[in-house]
Structures are given as structure tokens and as C-alpha cells.
């Protein structure tokens, strides 16, 4: 893809995610269903954190493209390294996990992750923007841009650390409020919950490996060309 076209795409993707993140964080709290508690605000949901992550990623990607267009290659090289690390370790595996896990649980029993009462607060388009569109965006990014993945050990350590931070945040919220961020968690004993978290981490690691596989199949081992 031409760099000018890629720049436009990354700009539009950044604007889209910024708009979606703005929209969900400005849902009127006084209309929230009884299942939704205020502590932690929107920032207790992985879906919302992912929207911010995607906005940051596409903002960095847009900046890298602009720097390449104006021939600031030394600066571009540093920004591209940050872009690739963001995408490989977080942007692709997290967005894939959010979309697939949400719709799997939603199909099984939506009350476990997205109570029906939320339909009166969150518009249908916003639900799909948060939980559906993130997956094709992630796949399209692999198709249009080559990304250099870090050493496997480094990538998995970073991913595991971020997962640990989010799980710690969820547990902290429960310790303070006595409520789980997602109703699903209330169904498990402590041991079962530990197994659920471990299983979720294994799944997101598999998505990391899948992203690396797709990137290698499409772009090979060649380095990014300025």
C-alpha cells in the first residue's frame, strides 16, 4: 500500500477509535442499569481499555507514517519500533480476545457479560463498534502493514505483565465493592476463578502467536523498508 494511502487509513482509524472511546466514556451514568456499579467507571472494562489502546496504537501509526512522508527517517525508525511493539504485544491479541470471548459468551448467555438492560443505554452500533469491528480492524492492519515482532520471550513477558495488571485491577475492585466487573466471575470458586484467569491468559497468548504467524505468512521475515 502506498505510504500516502496508509497514512490516510491510519488517520481515519485513529479518528474512529477516538470517537468510539469518547462515545462510550460519555454514556450517561444516571441511566445505568442496576447491574452496573460506579466504582472504577468505564475503566474497569477490558473493552473500554482496548478502545483506548487501539486509539493510541493508530495514533502512533499515523505519526510514523507522517514522519516517513516528510523524510524524518531517524525519528520514524524509533516511532515504528514503538508501533510494532504496541501492535504485536497488545493491539492485536487484546482486540482479538475482546471480540471472540465477548461474542462466544454473549451467544451462550449474554447476561454473563452484557446484560439485556444495557441495550437501553448503549446503542447497537456502539456495541458492535466495541466488540465486533475491533477484530477486522486488527486483521486488516496485518494485511496492510508489516510489523516486526519482539523476541518471543520478551513479547510474552510483556503480555503477561499487562494481563497481571488487569487481573489485579479486577480483584481490587472486587475487594472494595464486593461486586465483580463481569457477572460471569461470580459463578466460580476461588480455584475456579484462578483456572479461568489462567485459561484466558493461555487464549490471549495463542492470539499473540496467531498474529505473529499471520504476519510472517504475509510478510515473511523481511525487515520493514523505509
Amino acid at each position: 500500500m502506498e505510504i500516502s494511502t496508509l497514512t490516510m487509513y491510519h488517520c481515519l482509524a485513529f479518528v474512529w477509535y477516538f470517537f468510539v472511546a469518547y462515545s462510550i466514556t460519555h454514556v450517561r451514568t444516571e441511566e445505568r442499569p442496576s447491574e452496573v456499579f460506579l466504582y472504577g467507571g468505564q475503566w474497569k472494562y477490558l473493552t473500554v481499555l482496548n478502545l483506548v489502546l487501539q486509539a493510541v496504537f493508530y495514533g502512533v501509526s499515523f505519526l510514523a507514517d507522517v514522519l516517513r512522508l516528510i523524510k524524518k527517517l531517524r525519528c520514524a525508525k524509533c516511532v515504528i519500533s514503538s508501533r510494532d511493539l504496541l501492535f504485536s504485544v497488545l493491539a492485536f491479541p487484546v482486540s482479538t480476545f475482546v471480540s471472540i470471548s465477548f461474542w462466544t459468551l454473549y451467544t451462550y448467555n449474554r447476561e454473563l457479560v452484557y446484560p439485556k438492560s444495557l441495550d437501553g443505554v448503549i446503542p447497537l452500533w456502539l456495541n458492535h463498534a466495541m466488540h465486533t469491528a475491533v477484530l477486522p480492524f486488527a486483521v486488516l492492519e496485518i494485511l496492510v502493514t508489516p510489523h516486526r515482532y519482539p523476541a518471543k520471550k520478551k513479547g510474552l513477558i510483556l503480555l503477561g505483565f499487562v494481563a497481571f495488571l488487569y487481573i489485579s485491577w479486577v480483584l481490587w475492585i472486587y475487594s472494595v465493592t464486593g461486586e465483580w466487573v463481569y457477572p460471569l466471575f461470580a459463578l466460580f470458586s476461588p480455584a475456579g476463578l484462578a483456572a479461568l484467569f489462567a485459561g484466558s491468559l493461555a487464549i490471549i497468548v495463542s492470539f499473540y502467536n496467531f498474529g505473529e504467524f499471520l504476519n510472517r505468512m504475509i510478510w515473511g521475515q523481511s525487515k520493514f523498508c523505509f
Side-chain angles (χ1 to χ4, degrees):
M1 183 180 287
E2 292 289 334
I3 183 60
S4 56
T5 305
L6 193 61
T7 303
M8 182 60 67
Y9 165 68
H10 283 147
C11 179
L12 292 175
F14 167 72
V15 171
W16 165 252
Y17 274 113
F18 184 87
F19 169 70
V20 175
Y22 177 86
S23 298
I24 191 61
T25 54
H26 283 75
V27 169
R28 294 167 59 182
T29 55
E30 63 268 19
E31 295 181 357
R32 74 186 189 283
S34 58
E35 299 95 333
V36 179
F37 54 95
L38 285 177
Y39 190 88
Q42 304 284 8
W43 311 111
K44 57 180 173 284
Y45 299 112
L46 184 60
T47 295
V48 177
L49 295 174
N50 180 56
L51 293 176
V52 176
L53 168 64
Q54 301 303 320
V56 170
F57 165 71
Y58 282 106
V60 172
S61 297
F62 175 60
L63 175 60
D65 295 338
V66 170
L67 290 173
R68 290 175 65 204
L69 278 174
I70 63 177
K71 307 300 183 183
K72 298 289 186 180
L73 300 186
R74 183 174 297 179
C75 294
K77 198 169 186 178
C78 179
V79 176
I80 286 172
S81 295
S82 300
R83 178 203 69 184
D84 289 348
L85 190 64
L86 264 176
F87 180 77
S88 60
V89 175
L90 294 176
F92 182 84
V94 173
S95 59
T96 305
F97 178 80
V98 164
S99 183
I100 292 179
S101 62
F102 175 83
W103 287 114
T104 299
L105 290 169
Y106 185 98
T107 301
Y108 173 71
N109 182 358
R110 66 171 297 178
E111 296 299 318
L112 297 176
V113 288
Y114 195 85
K116 190 172 179 60
S117 53
L118 285 175
D119 290 344
V121 179
I122 300 176
L124 181 62
W125 74 265
L126 189 52
N127 181 21
H128 282 293
M130 294 188 297
H131 299 114
T132 307
V134 293
L135 181 55
F137 262 107
V139 174
L140 182 59
E141 177 62 23
I142 285 185
L143 295 175
V144 301
T145 311
H147 295 279
R148 281 180 292 204
Y149 273 66
K152 181 64 68 70
K153 182 178 180 180
K154 176 183 177 181
L156 293 181
I157 287 175
L158 288 173
L159 178 59
F161 178 69
V162 172
F164 171 77
L165 289 179
Y166 181 68
I167 291 172
S168 298
W169 175 227
V170 168
L171 294 175
W172 170 259
I173 291 173
Y174 178 75
S175 71
V176 172
T177 66
E179 300 283 348
W180 287 111
V181 172
Y182 299 103
L184 168 70
F185 296 161
L187 302 178
F188 293 88
S189 65
L193 201 58
L196 176 66
F197 288 150
S200 297
L201 180 58
I203 291 171
I204 203 169
V205 166
S206 72
F207 290 146
Y208 171 94
N209 290 327
F210 181 62
E212 185 178 33
F213 169 78
L214 284 180
N215 187 75
R216 185 173 62 251
M217 289 295 294
I218 296 168
W219 300 103
Q221 300 288 358
S222 60
K223 293 186 177 181
F224 191 90
C225 297
F226 289 93

